[in-house]
Structure formats: C-alpha cells, structure tokens
Amino acid sequence: MKDGNGGRPLVQLTAKDFKSDQEVRWCPGCGDYAILAAVQGFMPELGIARERIVFISGIGCAARFPYYMQTYGMHSIHGRAPAIATGLSSSRPDLSVWVVTGDGDALSIGGNHLIHVLRRNVNLKILLFNNQIYGLTKGQYSPTSPLGTHNKTTPFGSLDYPFNPVSLALGAEATFVARSVDTDRAHLTEILRRVAEHKGSAFVEIYQNCNVYNDGAFDAVREQENRILLQHGEPIRFGGEDGTVERGVVVRPGGGVEIVDVASVGEDALLRHDESAEDPSLAFALSRLSHTPVGPTPLGIFRAVERPVYDTLMAEQIEVTKRELGEGDLKKLLHAGDTWAIS
Amino acid sequence: MLYLRDRDMAAPPKPVEKVDGVVIRFAGDSGDGMQLAGARFTSETAMMGNDLSTLPDFPAEIRAPAGSLPGVSGFQIHFSDHDILTPGDEPNVLVAMNPAALRTNLRDLPRSGTLIVNRDAFTDRNLEKARYTANPLEDGSLDDYHVHEVPLTSLTLEALKDVEVTKREAERSKNMFALGLMSWLYHRPTEGTISYLEKKFQSRPPIAEANVLAFKAGWAYGETSEDFRVTYEIAPAKLPPGTYRNIRGNQALSLGLLAASVKSGLPLFLGAYPITPASEILEDLSRRKDFGVRTFQAEDEIAAVGAALGASFGGALGVCTSSGPGVVLKMETIGLAVTLELPLLIIDVQRAGPSTGMPTKPEQADLLLAMWGRNAESPVPVIAASTPGGCFDAAIEAARIALKYRTPVFLLSDAYLANGSEPWLIPDVDFLPDISTRFADAESHEGDFLPYRRDAETLARPWAIPGTPGLEHRIGGLEKADGTGNVSYDPDNHDHMVRLRAQKVAGIAADIPELAVDEQGDEELLVLSWGGTYGPVQAGVRRVRNDGGKVAHAHLGYLNPFPRNTGDVLRRFEKILVPEMNLGQLSKLVRAEFLVDAVGYNRVRGLPFRSSELAEAMKGML
Ligand code: SF4
C-alpha cells in the first residue's frame, strides 16, 4: 500500500473518519449497508489521507456510495464512471481512485467503458455491486438477471441471457478479478486489501442482496457447501462440513473444469488454484462453474497478474519526451516551420 | 530534352504581366497529390509575402475509385497584393489532372478563364469514367476558355527516365511537374519546395530525386514551351508588421489549446475519439508531450468527454474535440458538467449533417445543438471562431471563460476553418492573456468549506481538487442545495439553482467585448454574421460598398451570452440580414431574444459562401 499517498507517511485514521455527515438512504436491510461498513472499516488500513482518495460512481442504488464516504467523490451519470475515473486517475496518479457501480450501470449502459478500462489497465479499483436487478427504478430485470426472470418488464419471463461479470472481466483481460459477498465482511475485507495493493484495474464483483426487489438472490452462496473459496496455490475444494460431501474442482479432459467428489478422484487430482497464471483460461473456466450463483460458486481472487499500468505509461511518455526534447517552449512552437517577416 | 536545360541557358525571359490577385484551383484524382501540390504552392506564396486564403475540398473516401467523379480532390488558393478574406468565389485558373476533375470543376471556371489540363489523362477509359461521351479537348466545348493542353504524364516520365524509380512512382510525380509549371507562371520561389521534398522523402532518395526533377521540369517547361507566352507577378501585400506563418484552423486551435494550458498553468488533458474534421487536433496534441499534454483516445465519444471532465475534476484543463455526430453523444456529460460547475471545453468542428452527412464539408448548423441540445435548463457559454488564425484566440478565450466561471464552454469551428489556411501574424507569447485561476484551499474560505458557495462577482463556485486536505466533498448530477452542495429536492432551492446557473452564464456578457459594427453611420441595412462565415460576408460587404451600396456589418464571436450591446446594435437598423450556413439558427435566436425582424440568407451546400452571392443578397435588401 505504498502507492496512493504520494510518498507521504501513512496516516492513522479510523472507520469513523470515513463516514460523511450524510444520512444513508438505502432501504433498511439492503446489502449496500454491509459493503459500506466493510469499506469504511477497511479504509484506515490503507494509511492514505482522506483527501487523496476519490470515489466515483454512476447511477443506481450503489451509486449513492460516494455521498457516504468522507473522501472526495463524484456521483456521475449512468454507466460513465469508468470513463470519468480514467481521466482523473491518468491525470492524477497521486490519487487512489475507486469506482462503485452496479450490474445495470457497469454491464448494460456502461458496458463499453468497463471493458475498455480493464483492457487499458487504468489504475482504478472497481467495485461492482451485483444485485441482479434495477433497484433504483423499482424492479426491472438487469443484464445479470437469470434467463426467465419474472418482474415488472418481463411479466412472461426475461428473454436475455445474462452476463457473468467475472467471465466478462476476464474476457476483457482484466489484470485483477475477484468476487465476494456483501455480508461476508472478513472475506470482503481480505479482497479489498488485495484490491488496494494491485497496480492497475482491480475488478471485484460483490453479490449484493436487494431485499426489496430481489430478495434472496444469493442465498445459495451463503451456504457453506456452495462456497468454493479460491486460494492461491491451494487445491480447490469445498464443503465437507456438517456431514456434507467434500467436493473439489478438477480439470476436465478436453478443457474446462468440473466439480467432483474429492473421495472419488483423490486429493492429488484436484486443481491447484494459480491466480497469477498469465493465461486466463483456467480462471475463465472457474468462472463458468456457476453461470448464476444458484449452486456451488467460486469466491475469491480469480486472477491477479501484473501488466503495465496505463496511467504510469502515460506519465512516463511525458517524462521521457520532456527529457529528450526539453520542456515545451510555446514561443518556439508558434514560430516553428516556415515563417516570414513583414516590416 | 529541351526543357531540362540549365537556367543560365534559358530562353529569353517572357513578358511579365502585373496582376493584383489570382485564384487557382488544383483538381485531380484523390491519388494525384493535389493537396500536397496545393499546400506547397501555398507555402511558396506565403514566403512571397502575398496575402492568401486557401480551401481544400476533398472527398471523405480515402481512395474513391481512381478516375471517378467522386474521387476528385481539389485545392483552391486565392492570393493577392492586398488583404483578402476568402479563398475566392471562383478560380481564374483551373488545373485539371484528369477528365473527372475537369467535369466536376469546370462549372466554377468563368468563361475566358485559364484551363490547364493533363492531356495524357484524357484516355477513352478515363473519359468514360467521367461520363464524357466525347473528348472535351476535341469537341469544341472548351472554346470559350484559354486552354493549355500539357502532356503532363509523358513529360514527367520523360524527365525521370534516368531516375531509378518504377514507372508508377515516376507517374506519381506529375503533381510536382504541375506545381513546377504553376510556380514558374506565378514567379513563386522554388527553394522551399525543393528542400521540403528532399526532407519528406529523406529515407527514399530516388523518390526525392524524382519529385525534385519533376518539379524543375515543370518550371522549365513553362520557360520554353510556346504555349505559355506571359508570366504573372503579384506584389507582396501590405500586411501589419510582424512575423507570419501560414496556418490552418485546426493547427491554430491546437496551438491555442497549448497556449491556454501554458497561460493557465494547468496541464492539458484532451479526450477525443477520431472524427473528421476534428481528428487532426488530437493528432497534433498527441505529439506535444513536451508540454505535458495528456491525450486520451477514448473508446467512444462519451468516454472522451467523460475522461476530460474527470481530468477537470482533478485540476487539469479538460478538453474534448469532436464534430457534430460526436458532440450529440457528449451532451449527457456536458449536462453533468453544467451542474458540477467544472471547467470543460467542448470543441465542435462542425460539418454538414444531419447524421453522418458530409464529413469533409462545412456547415454551421450545430449552433442550436450547442445552445440547447441537453435535457432541462442547462446553459452553456458558446463562442465561435471566425477565421483559421482566429481559432487560436478563440481557444484561449474559451478556456478563460471555462476556468473563470467553472463551466463547460462550447467552441464552434467548422470544416472550412479547420482545413482552410491564411497567413497568421504570430502573437507575442508575453502579451497573451493570463488566464490562471485559483484552486480552493484551507485559506480560501471562512468557516466550513461550502463547495457551492459562489463568488459574488462571477457566481463561480470554488474549484477544490482532490488532494486538498480538509476540503473533501462530494459532487454529483443530483440537484444540490445552494452552498453546501448536498443533495436537495427542495422546490425553492431547485428554482433558485436553475436561475443561478442561468445568471452565471448570462453574467459573462459583462466580461466580453461589445459587438463592434463596421459602418459609416448612415446605413439602413445591417448584415449580422457569426463564426466561420466572417471572410465571405465581409468580402461581400466590400463588394456592395464598391458598387456604391450602403451596408453595415457586425460579426458575432460570442453566441451565448451575446455581447451586452447586441440588442442596441440590432435595433439601430431598419433591416437585418443574417447569412448562415444553416436554415436560420442565429436568426431564430436574435428574433427571440431581441424581437427584431432578422431576415435569413441560408445555404447549406457544404461549401463556404461566395462573396458574390452574399453581395447579391445584400443588394436585394437595399
Ligand atoms: S432497492 Fe434494493 S438495492 Fe436499492 S437500496 Fe433498496 S434494497 Fe438496496
């Protein structure tokens, strides 16, 4: 956590220091509260002064987030937060810039910005609150709602096949891709820690319960037996407590991965998770284990690799050019090329 | 090869005729290098000290089928011994490199005009592509013109027969042959072009040699050919003293943005998506890393303006450059900038529309888009550049307003200004306006920091950039409470804020020059123009005056707010004529705002106005 504080000494703050004076206005019981608490609880760990932290959001319930953080913030327009944050982050590499978005914001209206920010590897921390619904507009299906969802605009069931946000981010070659759950504070905090450390775009899908319009959408992953916790270097296995069968993940002959009973294949056959693999194929295969989280679902860090950061490259080009050509001289530039004098 | 003799062995000099000005149009296939020939002729002319104005006219297609009518590319230059305002209504001399170029351009050449054609290109196949049923060089249809048939291609090939280039490469040098001939005909200096060619083709010496030889051969052909009996001399123009360079509008705009960055002390951040005719600004500025410029070629027009606004939030001079079809996509973000009250420049290099329209052709039909193309009450200052060189000052002025009033500002240019060129008196950097601004900090306010507490005079809010300790605050697209900037749905607050934002923009009128009127004092007719039509309109006014007509002229560079005396000026005249390259957008604005009976003269042909048609329109109202 060296970057983001411009080489300044670490600052001692508490969660309270990150609470703004604004009354939080989400519906009582909304998963957003838990995420806000986790973020506010984690922020002091960063050791970065509040004025160097910026939260930028788009539109949606999640997008209210910046108002509640005692940092700099911008509640912008639908889907555009990654674009706005790109301008800020690349022109101010001294800041720690976070984007808070939702499934409609990031994957529908703002889908183009999201994939491009990930491919460029702009130094942004992107938290996508996925509740599989449009909450703010009162309950229409979203690009992550399961096929056949019945709600206000799909009384006969939705026809669109949903996005899996982790698959999408991996497809866009994001350098850091993770998934967590709103109420699992310990897990979420651990992921946030890694997000903050990552240089470049860090993308986290957070399953977030909308108790008003889509209650219980992620209940399955709150069950221990469905939580495939990815741990770097460890065999991928889950369940086995409380008399459930222990299961694990193996590479399928011919490609992809599948879930098997550990007892039937033996421990040695299990896939060891490698978040740092250059090739995103296995990470992608893992993301396909649960297209929507109704059964066993991987949580944790799918991918964490290094690639040059857009902001840094941009700053370097300027530095190198200035070193080679010298600081720009306006007078000289205006007089460049063919000139003639009239007296 | 008679025409390749050394200069000192040249035939006795031919008679010289003095003329005060001339308009030449080079026209050929897109692959014929007419833009290069035109640009070189322009540089030579600039070095001669003539006043000049140019107009390139090229197709949007990079390579339309060779020899076809849509593939014709043209370049017109008007140069003279006095100050001029336009690239000329019609050419005196047309250089046509093939039948298609002749067919598409001949209608602009007045009878008795001079026509120089590449005879070699008038083959059956080319004639057919240009839809000629008979060869116009043979059927007598050109009898009214002074025609010079020059076998340009074969003369070029002959001149280059000892150079190690392919036949195709040799043929491609024929534009330089034509340029050499024209340079001889008008006494242009040759050194600049020769060293330019040597430098341009530095890495391919045979190509450089071929081009230079073709250029010299063209010159020598003029000297020796019986076909050309006189040459023409145009004395240097008396322009204000100083150092000049030739400049196109897009270049001037790029330099103006750099100057705004230097004079504000803020780093320039340009977000843009490639679009004709604005891309060149992105290209120019992407080279200026030595000035600390950050250029961001975004994934789309929306991201381009979004990133610029994000950079503004962080304390940069945020700019986006585009054209109409891109600007419409940016309006949502511009609306956000209105309510965030952050500086942002939106540069619209207008082109003909609607939709994709005619990408390379000028129009000024985005005025009302800039004024009102957003949801709800979201006022944005709008200014417009008037000449290619004027794009420089317009960019600095747009930045000054944006920074001082913390507002997005529209700067309108157009495809004519963007690509047209003129001699430009290079300004003294030390005398450019200081447009520096102050960020908020712990000392700049009393009591609690209120992000929407306004400056009493400008109504601008503080610009507190991330990284400033103690001023952490949140801004957003939701309506804000006056002062605190907290989200507010209070009815009276909203009414108040809507009016405040409008007042802030309207108040800029006190901070811009009054509308100047070019008049004698006894005119009844005022011509009111704006933006890129300044040259043709002023030239039209001069024509009318030369013919004894009385007409006054006022030109608007500020469209929102209007200069504070605009109403007074308009009401002084009995008749008002508003020429615009749209169907009456400024007319609507001045009628609505000042209740005057403005009459429009409107043409949307994708071409700049001709001063003659404007003069006719003015006379029609006298
Ligand atoms: S609508 Fe749903 S997502 Fe939005 S605040 Fe209420 S519970 Fe949360």
Side-chain angles (χ1 to χ4, degrees):
Chain A
M1 280 155 272
K2 302 103 220 152
D3 69 334
N5 209 24
R8 289 159 184 77
L10 298 191
V11 185
Q12 296 291 325
L13 294 167
T14 66
K16 227 176 110 236
D17 294 317
F18 285 94
K19 292 193 171 103
S20 78
D21 61 355
Q22 297 298 294
E23 187 193 338
V24 184
R25 299 244 186 101
W26 288 309
C27 306
C30 174
D32 289 349
Y33 283 96
I35 306 174
L36 178 64
V39 172
Q40 286 170 336
F42 162 73
M43 279 288 144
E45 255 191 48
L46 271 176
I48 298 178
R50 291 179 300 188
E51 69 266 15
R52 311 199 84 79
I53 301 171
V54 187
F55 277 81
I56 298 189
S57 64
I59 294 291
C61 291
R64 296 294 182 100
F65 201 94
Y67 288 124
Y68 310 136
M69 296 294 299
Q70 186 54 26
T71 61
Y72 280 89
M74 188 198 292
H75 174 216
S76 77
I77 39 180
H78 211 6
R80 318 299 174 210
I84 293 169
T86 295
L88 180 63
S89 175
S90 60
S91 59
R92 291 288 306 275
D94 58 315
L95 302 174
S96 171
V97 184
W98 298 66
V99 170
V100 175
T101 181
D103 38 317
D105 194 57
L107 302 175
S108 201
I109 196 164
N112 198 31
H113 307 309
L114 179 72
I115 57 175
H116 286 278
V117 95
L118 295 177
R119 111 183 133 80
R120 289 191 184 103
N121 204 27
V122 181
N123 196 19
L124 299 175
K125 322 300 171 200
I126 303 167
L127 312 181
L128 187 159
F129 299 8
N130 181 7
N131 58 13
Q132 296 186 344
I133 199 82
Y134 283 110
L136 194 66
T137 48
K138 300 192 174 21
Q140 300 82 10
Y141 78 109
S142 90
T144 56
S145 300
L147 196 62
T149 295
H150 287 260
N151 59 29
K152 284 193 177 159
T153 51
T154 52
F156 303 104
S158 69
L159 307 174
D160 339 4
Y161 186 71
F163 266 139
N164 173 329
V166 166
S167 299
L168 183 81
L170 288 166
E173 297 194 52
T175 52
F176 183 100
V177 183
R179 179 187 283 148
S180 192
V181 187
D182 51 6
T183 49
D184 190 342
R185 176 129 178 203
H187 187 259
L188 181 55
T189 303
E190 182 49 36
I191 299 286
L192 290 174
R193 203 167 280 140
R194 292 289 309 278
V195 161
E197 276 170 18
H198 183 72
K199 292 188 170 49
S201 299
F203 173 87
V204 190
E205 176 189 22
I206 304 170
Y207 288 146
Q208 174 247 319
N209 193 41
C210 168
N211 55 311
V212 174
Y213 295 108
N214 198 18
D215 196 24
F218 307 103
D219 281 356
V221 293
R222 298 181 203 277
E223 305 286 332
Q224 208 53 37
E225 57 175 335
N226 282 331
R227 297 163 65 86
I228 311 178
L229 290 173
L230 301 174
Q231 271 160 336
H232 181 60
E234 299 294 323
I236 304 173
R237 58 206 298 179
F238 61 103
E241 303 91 2
D242 308 328
T244 56
V245 185
E246 192 189 17
R247 290 183 285 172
V249 174
V250 295
V251 173
R252 202 163 40 196
V257 296
E258 63 186 345
I259 293 170
V260 295
D261 289 351
V262 175
S264 69
V265 294
E267 287 189 9
D268 293 346
L270 296 181
L271 171 65
R272 270 181 197 278
H273 182 48
D274 179 8
E275 63 184 30
S276 60
E278 269 309 310
D279 181 346
S281 311
L282 272 177
F284 188 81
L286 287 171
S287 78
R288 309 311 297 166
L289 281 175
S290 61
H291 188 67
T292 49
V294 289
T297 300
L299 301 170
I301 298 164
F302 289 75
R303 185 171 205 233
V305 298
E306 279 195 26
R307 193 166 75 221
V309 178
Y310 185 78
D311 322 42
T312 316
L313 294 174
M314 201 181 230
E316 277 171 6
Q317 270 193 348
I318 290 176
E319 225 172 88
V320 170
T321 311
K322 282 187 172 178
R323 210 163 44 227
E324 283 171 3
L325 300 183
E327 189 82 31
D329 178 339
L330 185 60
K331 188 170 175 192
K332 235 163 90 188
L333 187 66
L334 295 186
H335 287 260
D338 291 343
T339 62
W340 67 96
I342 290 180
S343 46
Chain B
M1 290 185 303
L2 195 59
Y3 49 81
L4 269 184
R5 295 175 313 185
D6 283 330
R7 292 290 310 279
D8 55 347
M9 294 166 61
K14 295 183 177 178
V16 177
E17 209 177 284
K18 286 193 194 307
V19 286
D20 60 0
V22 65
V23 178
I24 300 175
R25 185 183 298 176
F26 294 90
D29 196 65
S30 317
D32 281 344
M34 289 298 97
Q35 300 304 325
L36 177 63
R40 285 317 312 165
F41 194 87
T42 304
S43 289
E44 295 171 3
T45 297
M47 296 309 286
M48 285 286 286
N50 295 128
D51 196 11
L52 68 89
S53 173
T54 68
L55 175 69
D57 181 26
F58 40 79
E61 295 78 15
I62 303 303
R63 282 287 150 88
S68 69
L69 294 168
V72 173
S73 166
F75 186 100
Q76 185 162 309
I77 174 169
H78 180 191
F79 56 106
S80 72
D81 66 359
H82 55 279
D83 76 312
I84 49 171
L85 296 152
T86 73
D89 284 3
E90 49 201 21
N92 309 112
V93 182
L94 172 63
V95 180
M97 298 296 280
N98 68 3
L102 179 65
R103 186 174 191 110
T104 48
N105 288 281
L106 189 64
R107 60 169 171 251
D108 296 333
L109 187 70
R111 307 268 145 186
S112 82
T114 300
L115 181 60
I116 298 173
V117 295
N118 176 12
R119 192 175 67 208
D120 294 331
F122 283 68
T123 60
D124 289 349
R125 209 175 130 59
N126 280 344
L127 288 166
E128 195 187 309
K129 280 195 218 163
R131 309 223 186 90
Y132 275 116
T133 47
N135 188 343
L137 302 183
E138 288 159 7
D139 67 1
S141 60
L142 302 177
D143 286 355
D144 291 345
Y145 305 93
H146 291 293
V147 183
H148 298 276
E149 291 179 34
V150 183
L152 271 164
T153 312
S154 45
L155 288 173
T156 305
L157 288 178
E158 175 66 17
L160 303 186
K161 67 174 193 281
D162 296 332
V163 185
E164 287 196 18
V165 288
T166 64
K167 181 168 177 239
R168 217 179 111 75
E169 285 165 345
E171 241 189 84
R172 288 185 59 149
S173 307
K174 65 179 179 294
N175 61 334
M176 288 300 114
F177 188 100
L179 176 65
L181 175 58
M182 297 309 286
S183 301
W184 167 79
L185 196 57
Y186 291 97
H187 297 215
R188 306 291 98 181
T190 56
E191 305 77 28
T193 294
I194 291 171
S195 58
Y196 169 87
L197 291 171
E198 282 166 350
K199 195 163 164 228
K200 180 175 164 78
F201 300 111
Q202 208 167 20
S203 57
R204 289 176 295 167
I207 304 279
E209 192 190 350
N211 277 282
V212 171
L213 271 182
F215 177 66
K216 288 182 175 168
W219 179 288
Y221 176 79
E223 274 184 335
T224 53
S225 164
E226 297 285 303
D227 197 17
F228 292 93
R229 292 169 192 284
V230 287
T231 63
Y232 302 93
E233 196 176 273
I234 294 98
K238 279 177 206 62
L239 298 175
T243 305
Y244 284 77
R245 66 183 278 188
N246 195 55
I247 203 156
R248 282 175 298 103
N250 271 351
Q251 285 179 312
L253 223 157
S254 302
L255 291 174
L257 291 173
L258 280 174
S261 166
V262 170
K263 286 289 167 179
S264 63
L266 302 179
L268 182 62
F269 184 99
L270 174 66
Y273 186 79
I275 185 168
T276 304
S279 305
E280 194 187 4
I281 304 169
L282 171 62
E283 292 164 8
D284 275 358
L285 289 174
S286 67
R287 287 194 283 268
R288 293 276 66 95
K289 305 252 183 284
D290 51 339
F291 284 79
V293 177
R294 286 177 154 82
T295 50
F296 172 62
Q297 184 177 316
E299 59 270 23
D300 57 29
E301 295 280 358
I302 299 172
V305 64
L309 181 60
S312 281
F313 182 48
L317 176 61
V319 180
C320 57
T321 49
S322 189
S323 184
V327 172
V328 292
L329 290 165
K330 300 183 189 296
M331 287 301 189
E332 179 197 32
T333 308
I334 298 167
L336 177 65
V338 167
T339 198
L340 295 185
E341 301 192 43
L342 284 173
L344 177 70
L345 299 193
I346 308 103
I347 291 157
D348 179 355
V349 186
Q350 300 166 93
R351 66 191 222 190
S355 189
T356 309
M358 302 195 286
T360 55
K361 313 288 182 191
E363 205 160 273
Q364 16 171 218
D366 293 351
L367 174 57
L368 297 186
L369 172 75
M371 287 292 295
W372 288 318
R374 292 164 296 283
N375 56 310
E377 299 289 350
S378 49
V380 174
V382 180
I383 72 174
S386 304
T387 59
C391 290
F392 179 84
D393 309 285
I396 299 176
E397 179 64 352
R400 180 188 76 86
I401 294 172
L403 295 171
K404 182 166 175 185
Y405 294 88
R406 322 285 203 228
T407 173
V409 173
F410 259 103
L411 167 52
L412 303 179
S413 174
D414 63 52
Y416 164 59
L417 296 180
N419 296 313
S421 76
E422 62 176 1
W424 180 53
L425 178 59
I426 302 173
D428 186 335
V429 171
D430 298 331
F431 289 106
L432 294 176
D434 174 5
I435 56 169
S436 58
T437 183
R438 188 178 167 194
F439 295 131
D441 56 31
E443 273 86 59
S444 59
H445 59 95
E446 281 165 29
D448 287 348
F449 171 66
L450 298 180
Y452 278 77
R453 176 182 282 161
R454 289 165 197 283
D455 179 88
E457 184 204 334
T458 61
L459 297 182
R461 74 177 192 89
W463 190 6
I465 63 170
T468 317
L471 305 195
E472 296 84 5
H473 65 285
R474 278 65 54 193
I475 52 178
L478 290 171
E479 183 59 285
K480 282 163 270 315
D482 191 16
T484 65
N486 289 333
V487 175
S488 168
Y489 288 89
D490 179 79
D492 292 334
N493 176 72
H494 177 56
D495 187 81
H496 179 60
M497 292 298 278
V498 167
R499 288 171 200 279
L500 265 179
R501 288 186 286 260
Q503 252 176 43
K504 180 177 82 167
V505 172
I508 296 169
D511 192 23
I512 57 175
E514 291 200 342
L515 178 60
V517 186
D518 168 25
E519 62 183 330
Q520 306 300 318
D522 55 350
E523 293 92 343
E524 290 178 356
L525 171 65
L526 173 75
V527 180
L528 181 70
S529 54
W530 72 274
T533 57
Y534 172 75
V537 175
Q538 176 64 16
V541 166
R542 290 186 195 175
R543 272 178 188 243
V544 174
R545 287 177 182 164
N546 277 343
D547 295 347
K550 286 187 189 308
V551 53
H553 180 205
H555 187 80
L556 286 165
Y558 297 86
L559 284 310
N560 191 35
F562 286 124
R564 53 194 177 281
N565 63 331
T566 305
D568 296 341
V569 166
L570 299 184
R571 284 187 279 264
R572 282 206 279 118
F573 293 87
E574 246 155 71
K575 299 175 213 161
I576 299 166
L577 175 68
V578 183
E580 295 180 84
M581 292 164 65
N582 59 44
L583 295 187
Q585 300 195 2
L586 177 64
S587 302
K588 274 198 182 66
L589 290 178
V590 295
R591 280 168 157 263
E593 186 123 338
F594 305 112
L595 300 176
V596 291
D597 184 18
V599 177
Y601 178 80
N602 308 96
R603 290 291 181 278
V604 279
R605 302 172 61 238
L607 291 169
F609 281 130
R610 293 161 183 237
S611 48
S612 54
E613 62 177 322
L614 292 169
E616 283 314 305
M618 293 172 208
K619 285 179 184 165
M621 285 187 68
L622 289 177

